[in-house]
Amino acid sequence: MNQFDFILKDFVNWKLDNVEVLERFKHHGSLIYDRLEPVYVVLNFIYEKAVEEDELTEELETIFQVGLNYLHAQFEVIRIYFEKLFNSSCELFEDYTPLVGYLLFISDLRSDLEAFEKDIDFSDLNEVETLIENMIAERRDEFEYAANQLNKATYNIVKHLDFEYVSIIDIFVEIAENLGIPLSTDEAYLIGKDI
């Protein structure tokens, strides 16, 4: 058994623990499912390919590992809000998925820009994150205000970079397209442009 076989088993275990919740999100047309779908379907595709062919290219193994790590991290945050704050109620949770999505985006942005941490002032982003966390806890639905604040904070960070920020979700949308995997939504996922 090679190292990648353990990663494949980790995916199976992740699915056993989370697929029921993920399918509930899908059934409710959740923004959270839409956000995770590109990563999830690519992982399923690569997993099936690994089972059928018993060997993958190094590129597909890397994509799979990155996607699985991402899914683990994102779902950990999602489950905290879904189970603890919204008592596992899709209806209640769905009302606040835009705000939860913003928090996931902030987590992605921070993670992707770790290498630039010394060069970038994250204080605006920290303030927006606290604002959004409080809005969720207090059940405030000022989504447009939160989006505007997040867009300003993101712009202030990204303008200091001399490259265009592309989120992992956008990358997995492109991977899905390249592998010929259909997504259930045709909406653009370009998150770095505008929330």
Side-chain angles (χ1 to χ4, degrees), residues 41-109:
V41 297
V42 166
L43 291 180
N44 274 321
F45 176 87
I46 294 173
Y47 176 80
E48 293 299 323
K49 190 172 181 68
V51 168
E52 289 171 15
E53 298 177 10
D54 201 37
E55 195 171 316
L56 294 172
T57 65
E58 189 175 323
E59 180 182 28
L60 286 179
E61 286 185 6
T62 301
I63 290 168
F64 190 87
Q65 189 159 7
V66 168
L68 184 56
N69 290 341
Y70 178 79
L71 215 49
H72 268 298
Q74 293 282 287
F75 225 77
E76 198 173 297
V77 173
I78 291 165
R79 286 193 81 127
I80 289 169
Y81 283 97
F82 179 65
E83 292 172 355
K84 305 283 189 245
L85 280 165
F86 296 99
N87 299 320
S88 300
S89 166
C90 280
E91 291 79 14
L92 292 174
F93 182 70
E94 192 57 33
D95 289 342
Y96 292 88
T97 55
L99 295 177
V100 174
Y102 298 161
L103 290 177
L104 296 174
F105 171 76
I106 290 169
S107 172
D108 287 355
L109 184 63

Side-chain angles (χ1 to χ4, degrees), residues 48-182:
E48 293 299 323
K49 190 172 181 68
V51 168
E52 289 171 15
E53 298 177 10
D54 201 37
E55 195 171 316
L56 294 172
T57 65
E58 189 175 323
E59 180 182 28
L60 286 179
E61 286 185 6
T62 301
I63 290 168
F64 190 87
Q65 189 159 7
V66 168
L68 184 56
N69 290 341
Y70 178 79
L71 215 49
H72 268 298
Q74 293 282 287
F75 225 77
E76 198 173 297
V77 173
I78 291 165
R79 286 193 81 127
I80 289 169
Y81 283 97
F82 179 65
E83 292 172 355
K84 305 283 189 245
L85 280 165
F86 296 99
N87 299 320
S88 300
S89 166
C90 280
E91 291 79 14
L92 292 174
F93 182 70
E94 192 57 33
D95 289 342
Y96 292 88
T97 55
L99 295 177
V100 174
Y102 298 161
L103 290 177
L104 296 174
F105 171 76
I106 290 169
S107 172
D108 287 355
L109 184 63
R110 266 207 186 90
S111 176
D112 292 344
L113 300 180
E114 265 181 318
F116 302 96
E117 200 166 5
K118 294 176 184 169
D119 304 324
I120 297 174
D121 179 10
F122 284 97
S123 60
D124 289 346
L125 195 64
N126 295 339
E127 287 178 27
V128 172
E129 183 175 36
T130 301
L131 169 78
I132 293 170
E133 288 170 342
N134 289 339
M135 289 173 82
I136 294 170
E138 297 165 4
R139 302 288 201 274
R140 293 177 14 222
D141 59 359
E142 301 165 28
F143 304 133
E144 191 173 327
Y145 176 72
N148 289 336
Q149 296 303 108
L150 182 54
N151 279 329
K152 286 178 196 172
T154 302
Y155 174 78
N156 288 338
I157 289 171
V158 175
K159 75 178 181 183
H160 295 293
L161 306 173
D162 50 327
F163 64 87
E164 183 177 341
Y165 173 71
V166 180
S167 77
I168 194 165
I169 298 294
D170 297 329
I171 292 167
F172 270 82
V173 167
E174 189 173 319
I175 291 168
E177 287 173 4
N178 290 336
L179 293 173
I181 304 169

Side-chain angles (χ1 to χ4, degrees), residues 8-23:
L8 292 172
K9 284 187 175 192
D10 194 25
F11 178 61
V12 171
N13 290 331
W14 183 89
K15 283 180 72 169
L16 287 171
D17 291 341
N18 297 298
V19 76
E20 182 183 325
V21 173
L22 193 60
E23 287 298 322

